[in-house]
């Protein structure tokens, strides 16, 4: 079943999350119409390869044209044509952006499907869902709309005041121009009374408009304080969580709309105040409310504009190496990385170049020895991009770091913290003037880990996860000086995200329980048990030469590179202890096996099957774990299909019959077998066959069966042993790791 068909079968609660993913950047109509084709493309690679992205974009347009030509409904054909034109405008000059958008949507779909399989959601995901409640968005929409309407109504009030004042000014100057002999006449007295009435009315209207402006400015201030700023902080928190594999439920577009409309209202009020200032120059009087209250209102409006624009300068895409798009915030020296900043407020009358300068490690904690600088150009001009709805942004695509050398010619050495525990920061600065206001912009990336070797990548990713799981602070570079503990309920959720992000399917409750037991012992039953950073990432597992995280990360890499189809079919039980394994298999039919990850090897997978002797004795056999070296030579499904055991020089039939609990082996793995069509060659084709040697102290009779090939003699076995591309698995009985 295709991914899109699975999505359509989800409950409404989860379908609402899917709805958040699709907008004008990638309409759901295209996802629906080209579902199968879209899922067959490699969008992750295209997102980092411009030539591949351009080809994919051309193919996408061709596919859309094909679907449109086959569509019978006129309205649907029209809509497809409009969408096709919009995509061409947005992505023709930058197809990698399109590839990133589609890649993100597909990844989020997989995460949502994975969460649907979980019995309950984790605390982090629940909190994120609460933060994007429909009621909150509706309330914000209403408040922003009401403020905008109030400001527009004040326009009419200011115009009305101007009309009254012009009439008063004309009559007053006309009165002054009359002869002095006429000033005591009844007509003159009536005119003076009429002018006084007009002045009283003008004073009332001026007091009224100043009062209304005060109310609107207070309303905007409250909107920013109570809703916009928290919403912006919530988005930043969601960005943190998304960086470590969690859901990103909303884009910046909605937030940008609220901020821009609020800024427009403030700029509008500022222009109205300027207009009132012009009116005062023409007509003023004792106790005129405008000169008395206008300065304070202007200062408050300028203050709100300044802070609204300053807070809207955000890092839209955190620093990331294109070679590792799913592990942001880790930078390797000498390797290019990308990042993007965006101003979420549409500025009026942008007729100048707004330059953004990047600085690395602007404010390092005291005692930090390793320091770096940006090797490439660190200044770019912000530009208006069509797909960002007219807001300014700048995309740094070719930044590169180099470590500083000191006078004695040596590089900085490590301090008390390891390389992957040292946190760094990338700062962005800009300055501009708009409508007489000079605004200094500054923002920074989330803390970064800088590595010099890819072997440090797992440790760096552990640091990135730990930081963004446990703190909302955007720039606590001294975090690992005294890292806090993580609650198991939160940590287990993030670990499941790693599997849904990198392997397409998260972990279920039973798998997480086994991981908890491995990390915490029996404390896993208590969800509020807290894990130390050292125990998670630095201390070796008891009796093993590696830490818990190094073990788990090696499994993730193994799945991603060699086991993905088997993992996504949910055929790998994966995390199960030996004791549980025995209890599951002991009452099953002979040849029933299950797949689990090795606890003693980094990045190893093994299978165990059960046998029943004539006297009722139950035996368990486990093959030596397969690692990436062996799986590079032979696909894992083919190993399951062709596996043989040799005992006393005789090769028996494949002992693997049923995948736990009772699925016939070929039914489970059949479509994953690597069955390639035979080619006509002058040579006899050869096949690698995985064979384990069963060593036993007692002689056992092999079960009678007809093998498709004659059993190998010991000599033939030894010759095969010497010629195979990898060492033949050793296996002991009754049980070995």
């Amino acid at each position: 079943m295709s991914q899109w068909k699975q999505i359509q079968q989800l409950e409404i609660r989860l379908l609402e999350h899917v709805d958040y993913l699709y907008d004008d950047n990638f309409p759901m109509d295209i996802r629906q119409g080209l579902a199968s084709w879209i899922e067959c493309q490699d969008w992750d690679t295209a997102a980092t390869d411009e030539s591949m992205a351009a080809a994919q974009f051309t193919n996408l347009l061709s596919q859309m044209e094909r679907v449109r030509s086959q569509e019978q409904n006129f309205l649907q054909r029209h809509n497809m044509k409009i969408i096709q034109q919009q995509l061409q405008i947005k992505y023709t000059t930058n197809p990698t952006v399109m590839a990133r958008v589609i890649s993100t949507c597909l990844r989020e779909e997989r995460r949502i499907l994975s969460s649907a399989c979980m019995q309950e959601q984790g605390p982090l995901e629940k909190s994120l869902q609460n933060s994007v409640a429909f009621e909150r968005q509706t309330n914000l929409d209403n408040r922003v709309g009401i403020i905008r309407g109030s400001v527009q109504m004040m326009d009419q009030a200011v115009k009305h005041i101007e009309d009254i004042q012009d009439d008063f000014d004309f009559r007053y100057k006309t009165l002054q121009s009359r002869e002095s002999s006429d000033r005591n006449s009844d007509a003159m007295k009536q005119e003076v009374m009429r002018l006084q009435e007009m002045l009283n009315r003008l004073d009332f209207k001026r007091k009224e408009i100043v009062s209304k402006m005060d109310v609107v400015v207070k309303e905007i201030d409250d909107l920013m304080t109570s809703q916009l700023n928290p919403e912006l902080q919530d988005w930043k928190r969601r960005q943190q969580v998304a960086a470590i594999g969690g859901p990103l439920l909303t884009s910046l577009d909605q937030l940008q709309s609220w901020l821009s409309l609020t800024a427009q209202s403030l700029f509008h009020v500022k222009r109205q105040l300027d207009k009132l200032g012009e009116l005062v120059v023409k007509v003023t009087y004792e106790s005129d409310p405008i000169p008395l209250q206008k300065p304070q209102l202007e200062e408050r409006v300028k203050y709100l504009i300044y802070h609204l624009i300053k807070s809207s300068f955000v890092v839209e895409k955190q620093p990331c190496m294109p070679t590792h798009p799913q592990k942001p915030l880790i930078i390797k020296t000498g390797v290019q990385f990308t990042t993007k900043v965006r101003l979420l407020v549409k500025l009026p009358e942008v007729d100048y170049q707004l330059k953004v300068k990047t600085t690395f490690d602007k404010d390092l904690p005291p005692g930090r020895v390793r320091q770096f600088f940006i090797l490439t150009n660190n200044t770019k001009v912000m530009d208006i991009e069509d797909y960002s709805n007219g807001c300014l942004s700048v995309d740094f695509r070719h930044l590169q770091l180099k470590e500083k050398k000191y006078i004695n010619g040596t590089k900085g050495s490590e301090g008390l913290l390891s390389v992957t525990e040292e946190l760094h920061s990338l700062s962005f600065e800009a300055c501009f003037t708009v409508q007489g206001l000079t605004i200094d912009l500054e923002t920074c990336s989330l803390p970064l880990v800088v590595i010099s070797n890819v072997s440090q990548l797992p440790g760096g990713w552990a640091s990135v996860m730990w930081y963004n799981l446990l703190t909302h602070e955007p720039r606590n570079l001294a975090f690992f000086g005294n890292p806090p503990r993580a609650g198991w309920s939160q940590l287990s959720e993030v670990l499941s995200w790693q599997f849904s992000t990198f392997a397409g399917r998260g972990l279920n409750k039973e798998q997480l329980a086994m991981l908890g037991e491995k990390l915490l012992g029996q404390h896993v039953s208590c969800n509020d048990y807290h894990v130390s950073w050292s125990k998670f990432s630095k201390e070796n597992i008891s009796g093993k030469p590696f830490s818990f995280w190094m073990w788990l990360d090696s499994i993730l890499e193994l799945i991603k590179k060699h086991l993905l189809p088997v993992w996504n079919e949910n055929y790998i039980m994966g995390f199960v202890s030996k004791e549980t394994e025995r209890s599951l298999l002991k009452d099953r039919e002979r040849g029933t096996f299950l797949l689990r990850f090795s606890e003693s090897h980094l990045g190893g997978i093994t299978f165990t099957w059960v046998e029943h002797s004539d006297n009722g004795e139950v035996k368990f056999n486990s093959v030596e774990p397969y690692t990436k070296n062996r799986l590079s030579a032979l696909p894992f499904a083919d190993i399951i299909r062709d596996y043989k055991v040799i005992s006393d020089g005789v090769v028996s039939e494949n002992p693997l019959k049923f995948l736990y609990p009772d699925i016939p082996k070929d039914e489970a793995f059949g479509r994953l077998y690597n069955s390639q069509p035979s080619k006509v060659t002058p040579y006899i084709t050869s096949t690698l066959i995985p064979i384990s040697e069963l060593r036993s102290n007692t002689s056992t009779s092999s079960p009678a069966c007809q093998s498709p090939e004659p059993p190998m003699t010991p000599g033939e076995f030894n010759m095969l042993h010497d010629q195979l591309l990898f060492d033949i698995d050793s296996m002991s009985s009754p049980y070995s790791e």
Side-chain angles (χ1 to χ4, degrees), residues 80-331:
M80 287 287 286
K81 182 179 180 180
I82 297 300
I83 292 173
Q84 190 172 354
Q85 292 172 346
Q86 291 174 341
L87 293 182
Q88 285 177 309
I89 293 172
K90 286 185 178 183
Y91 300 130
T92 297
T93 58
N94 199 356
T96 54
V97 174
M98 176 208 68
R100 283 200 297 268
V101 169
I102 297 178
S103 173
T104 300
C105 288
L106 293 177
R107 177 172 67 86
E108 285 299 300
E109 285 181 6
R110 290 194 295 270
R111 187 203 59 75
I112 292 170
L113 286 171
S114 177
S115 67
C117 298
M118 302 292 287
Q119 294 184 7
E120 58 182 37
Q121 295 170 304
L124 274 176
E125 190 156 356
K126 284 181 179 178
S127 67
L128 293 175
Q129 288 180 8
N130 292 335
S131 69
V132 292
F134 178 76
E135 292 79 7
R136 271 181 58 179
Q137 293 195 18
T138 302
N139 180 265
L140 254 172
D141 284 336
N142 291 338
R143 286 193 72 181
V144 170
I146 290 171
I147 289 172
R148 194 179 184 192
S150 299
V151 172
Q152 290 172 345
M153 290 180 64
M154 287 194 306
D155 258 349
Q156 300 174 9
V158 172
K159 182 65 171 64
H160 184 54
I161 290 172
E162 185 179 17
D163 292 341
I164 295 174
Q165 179 171 308
D166 287 345
D167 190 17
F168 173 84
D169 188 47
F170 174 77
R171 289 176 177 272
Y172 180 75
K173 288 179 179 179
T174 301
L175 184 64
Q176 282 186 322
S177 65
R178 290 186 180 181
E179 296 293 335
S180 58
S181 58
D182 296 334
R183 293 183 178 179
N184 292 323
S185 65
D186 291 340
M188 181 69 75
K189 290 179 181 178
Q190 288 180 358
E191 185 65 17
V192 170
M193 290 178 62
R194 188 178 296 112
L195 284 174
Q196 185 61 52
E197 290 175 359
M198 292 180 68
L199 184 61
N200 291 341
R201 186 181 177 196
L202 181 63
D203 180 63
F204 175 79
K205 289 297 181 181
R206 284 189 172 185
K207 288 178 179 177
E208 185 181 52
I209 191 65
V210 169
S211 176
K212 287 181 177 178
M213 285 185 174
D214 183 64
V215 171
V216 168
V217 171
K218 286 180 178 178
E219 179 68 14
I220 293 176
D221 191 354
D222 182 69
L223 174 70
M224 289 172 55
T225 303
S226 65
Q227 288 187 273
L228 288 180
N229 289 342
E231 196 69 32
L232 185 59
Q233 295 306 313
D234 282 347
W235 178 84
K236 290 181 177 180
R237 179 56 182 160
R238 290 196 294 272
Q239 187 188 47
Q240 274 190 281
V241 172
I244 56 175
L248 181 59
L249 298 179
T250 57
S251 69
L252 275 173
D253 293 342
Q254 181 62 73
L255 186 55
Q256 174 184 293
S257 175
W258 292 327
L259 292 170
S260 292
L261 290 174
T262 304
Q264 288 173 15
S265 296
L266 285 169
F267 280 119
H268 208 147
V269 172
K270 184 178 180 299
R271 289 193 296 271
Q272 291 169 349
L273 286 168
D274 292 341
K275 184 64 178 179
L276 291 180
E278 294 173 6
L279 296 179
V280 169
V281 173
K282 295 179 181 179
V283 175
T284 189
Y285 48 88
E286 187 177 355
S287 300
D288 186 349
I290 293 178
L292 292 175
Q293 299 184 46
K294 177 176 174 286
Q296 292 86 350
L297 279 172
E298 280 184 325
E299 286 303 312
R300 287 168 60 192
V301 169
K302 289 178 181 179
Y303 174 86
L304 293 176
I305 291 174
Y306 179 86
H307 285 279
L308 182 66
I309 294 178
K310 195 173 179 68
S311 66
S312 72
F313 189 49
V314 299
V315 181
E316 181 180 1
K317 295 177 181 175
Q318 293 293 334
C320 181
M321 296 185 293
T323 52
H324 294 82
Q326 293 172 328
K327 288 186 176 179
L329 304 173
I330 302 177
I331 308 301

Side-chain angles (χ1 to χ4, degrees), residues 583-607:
S583 68
L584 292 174
L585 290 175
K586 66 180 181 179
D587 296 326
R588 294 292 166 179
E589 284 193 51
R590 172 179 171 273
T592 300
F593 64 100
L594 57 77
L595 311 176
R596 66 177 178 86
F597 298 116
S598 170
E599 296 184 68
S600 60
H601 289 66
L602 282 179
I605 185 169
T606 182
F607 46 81

Side-chain angles (χ1 to χ4, degrees), residues 342 353 718 728:
R342 182 168 166 182
Q353 288 190 337
N718 291 333
I728 292 178

Side-chain angles (χ1 to χ4, degrees), residues 256-516:
Q256 174 184 293
S257 175
W258 292 327
L259 292 170
S260 292
L261 290 174
T262 304
Q264 288 173 15
S265 296
L266 285 169
F267 280 119
H268 208 147
V269 172
K270 184 178 180 299
R271 289 193 296 271
Q272 291 169 349
L273 286 168
D274 292 341
K275 184 64 178 179
L276 291 180
E278 294 173 6
L279 296 179
V280 169
V281 173
K282 295 179 181 179
V283 175
T284 189
Y285 48 88
E286 187 177 355
S287 300
D288 186 349
I290 293 178
L292 292 175
Q293 299 184 46
K294 177 176 174 286
Q296 292 86 350
L297 279 172
E298 280 184 325
E299 286 303 312
R300 287 168 60 192
V301 169
K302 289 178 181 179
Y303 174 86
L304 293 176
I305 291 174
Y306 179 86
H307 285 279
L308 182 66
I309 294 178
K310 195 173 179 68
S311 66
S312 72
F313 189 49
V314 299
V315 181
E316 181 180 1
K317 295 177 181 175
Q318 293 293 334
C320 181
M321 296 185 293
T323 52
H324 294 82
Q326 293 172 328
K327 288 186 176 179
L329 304 173
I330 302 177
I331 308 301
K332 183 179 180 293
T333 53
V335 174
Q336 288 186 351
F337 64 95
T338 65
T339 186
K340 182 179 180 180
V341 291
R342 182 168 166 182
L343 190 62
L344 298 178
V345 170
K346 294 181 183 179
L347 298 177
E349 303 170 6
V350 180
D351 56 357
Y352 47 83
Q353 288 190 337
L354 180 55
K355 294 183 178 180
V356 178
K357 179 183 178 182
T358 62
T359 306
F360 199 80
D361 279 348
K362 183 179 178 182
D363 299 306
L364 277 179
R368 185 65 63 83
V369 179
R370 296 171 72 237
Q371 296 183 27
F372 303 86
F373 65 94
I374 298 175
L375 190 61
T376 47
N377 181 25
N378 67 336
T379 302
K380 288 191 71 173
V381 176
M382 297 193 87
D383 195 10
I384 297 177
E385 298 180 355
D386 292 332
Y387 61 85
S388 65
N389 297 322
C391 278
L392 291 167
S393 64
V394 58
D395 203 346
F396 291 91
R397 297 185 185 178
H398 306 291
L399 296 176
Q400 198 173 94
L401 291 183
K402 186 174 182 180
E403 188 170 355
K404 289 183 180 179
K405 291 186 177 180
Y406 294 83
I407 298 176
N408 60 7
T410 60
K411 294 183 180 180
S413 58
E414 297 179 26
L416 296 176
L417 300 177
S418 69
V419 169
T420 56
E421 291 175 319
E422 287 186 0
L423 299 180
H424 305 263
S425 179
L426 186 64
S427 303
F428 305 87
E429 297 174 330
C431 181
F432 67 98
T433 301
V434 56
Q435 293 194 1
L437 289 175
T438 299
I439 301 178
D440 296 313
L441 298 177
E442 182 176 359
T443 189
C444 65
S445 70
L446 290 169
L448 307 170
V449 174
V450 180
I451 62 175
S452 56
N453 192 292
V454 291
S455 64
Q456 298 166 331
L457 192 64
W461 186 239
S463 297
V464 169
M465 286 193 299
W466 204 262
Y467 182 94
N468 291 288
L469 167 64
L470 295 177
T471 181
H472 295 209
E473 296 181 73
R475 199 178 183 180
N476 182 3
L477 303 186
F479 177 82
F480 283 103
N482 184 25
R485 292 171 172 261
W488 173 246
S489 59
Q490 289 180 306
L491 181 59
S492 62
E493 185 179 10
V494 173
L495 294 181
S496 181
W497 288 346
Q498 305 315 300
F499 282 83
S500 59
T501 298
F502 293 100
R505 184 175 62 82
L507 303 179
N508 58 35
K509 189 175 181 180
E510 290 73 22
Q511 290 169 327
L512 289 172
M514 186 272 177
L515 287 180

